[in-house]
Each structure stands twice: as structure tokens, then as C-alpha cells.
Amino acid sequence: MCGRFAVTLPPDAMAQLFEAAPSNDLPEVPNYNVCPTNQIHVVMEDAGRRLVSMRWGFLPHWYKAPNGGPLLINARAETIAEKPAFKAACRERRCLIPCTGFYEWTKDENGNRLPWYIHPSQDSALVFAGVWQDWERDGQAFRTCAVVTCAANQAMSKIHHRMPVVLAPDNWAKWLGEEGRGAATLMTPAPEDALSFYRVDPAVNSNRAKGAELIAPL
């Protein structure tokens, strides 16, 4: 799964990387502790690529309030095409979610949560497959999204049995629907050598923690 991540690329660098027009309401960076319900950077296709801000936490149209059901920050690749919450978005509203790295946790023999920072082995950014949904009710309106996840590869399985679907640059256009069909074939684990990881300080266990020290090797 993916429950926290870090973003350090400036918006202009992200816009250049994706050849996307940036919105003027993008979240502040760097952010070393992006949490569910935060506004995050997302690349969507809308008569051209746009870099926009979305709420991380997908809201199906039938939710009567933002807290009207489970917090959907992840969408499982194995069931995304059938789940009522995600099936339309999987067909029509796919997006790219850039970050610098993400966190996952193991436990020690005493049950203490031990955080790990997972980052690209070579590239400067990770790009997750995502889906998005507009939600509006009673004067409230949100553009929301979720990260698509799949079974972990062998390397990541040492930490967690799930991982985000990581998209290589030559697959961005296909996931966004710019190159016709075939997006379903992309929902597979990243190559074994694509990601590296190391332990970080448990300070990141708090969703209020901030600062570059959160991604410093322990």
C-alpha cells in the first residue's frame, strides 16, 4: 500500500518533467510527510497535460460527506476495474502522482512501528499510477484521487506485501490514455532493482512531523 510519501521537486520542475501546464494553487514543497487528505500534485489529461492539486483520498459520488465512508487512499489493481468506487475512474480518469519517495513500516519484536523510506534507485522522482474523481455536495467540492497498488515485488515484500504501481516515463502517456488502450497491462510490480530503501527515524510516525531529517538514513 502507500500511506505517506515525500515530495521535494519544485512545481516548475514537475511541470517541465511531465510537459504539463501548472495550476496556480499547487501545494507547497518540499513536503517530507504527505498524509492522507492532504492536497497533492497530480498530472491529469484535460485537452493536454495539466499539473493540478487534488485531495489524496478518493470520494465516490455517493458519499454524502467527505467522511461519509472509508478513506480510499489506495485502489487495488486486481479489483479496480470491478469495484463500484473505482471502475469508472479506471476507464476514464487516470492520472500520474509524482513523489520523491514513500514510507512503509515493519514491526520489531515488541510491536514498535519501524519506518522505511523507499525511493527510486536512479531517477529523481517516482511516478505512481492514480485515478481521480470530482465530488460535490452541499456546497462542498473536491477533486480527489487514489494511488493504484499491486502485489509487492520480491525486494519490497521484505517490508510490505503491497506496493504502489510505479510507472516508467515511457508508460505515462499510455496510463493517461494518450496512446489508446493497454493501461491495464501497466498495473504490475516495479522491476526488482527500481527501488531502494533504508530505515528512517520513527519521528515520521507522527503525521505532524516535518523537515528533511525525516528521510535521513537512520
Side-chain angles (χ1 to χ4, degrees):
M1 63 175 295
C2 179
R4 300 269 195 90
F5 58 89
V7 179
T8 61
L9 279 176
D12 57 347
M14 283 190 250
Q16 183 176 5
L17 178 64
F18 296 105
E19 299 180 340
S23 297
N24 57 12
D25 62 346
L26 296 171
E28 291 186 6
V29 289
N31 186 344
Y32 296 93
N33 195 5
V34 179
C35 302
T37 74
N38 287 174
Q39 293 294 121
I40 64 172
H41 300 82
V42 176
V43 177
M44 62 181 292
E45 172 60 38
D46 182 16
R49 292 183 186 178
R50 294 177 54 208
L51 178 64
V52 300
S53 176
M54 293 190 189
R55 176 190 188 268
W56 184 23
F58 192 98
L59 295 178
H61 65 84
W62 61 81
Y63 277 23
K64 295 182 179 179
N67 60 353
L71 183 59
L72 304 176
I73 61 172
N74 295 151
R76 292 176 66 93
E78 298 87 344
T79 58
I80 191 171
E82 290 83 33
K83 287 287 186 181
F86 298 120
K87 63 181 181 180
C90 182
R91 291 193 306 268
E92 305 164 6
R93 295 185 299 277
R94 297 188 297 271
C95 59
L96 309 176
I97 299 176
C99 72
T100 310
F102 66 101
Y103 300 97
E104 197 51 81
W105 283 262
T106 56
K107 289 185 178 181
D108 65 15
E109 61 275 10
N110 297 316
N112 298 309
R113 298 178 75 229
L114 309 177
W116 296 75
Y117 183 63
I118 299 99
H119 61 97
S121 298
Q122 297 182 354
D123 297 328
S124 60
L126 281 176
V127 178
F128 300 152
V131 290
W132 66 273
Q133 169 78 46
D134 281 334
W135 181 89
E136 184 173 1
R137 192 177 289 253
D138 298 330
Q140 289 184 296
F142 297 98
R143 180 157 281 178
T144 70
C145 64
V147 174
V148 181
T149 66
C150 62
N153 61 25
Q154 186 173 357
M156 268 295 300
S157 66
K158 300 173 184 176
I159 301 175
H160 199 275
H161 66 284
R162 305 288 297 176
M163 67 183 298
V165 172
V166 177
L167 298 173
D170 56 356
N171 289 326
W172 295 348
K174 183 176 287 187
W175 183 256
L176 288 174
E178 298 169 346
E179 293 183 352
R181 304 192 176 202
T185 64
L186 305 178
M187 293 189 287
T188 57
E192 295 294 331
D193 60 352
L195 302 175
S196 299
F197 44 86
Y198 53 81
R199 280 280 317 283
V200 292
D201 194 280
V204 77
N205 291 356
S206 169
N207 59 14
R208 292 186 290 272
K210 299 182 182 296
E213 65 275 9
L214 296 180
I215 65 170
L218 188 64

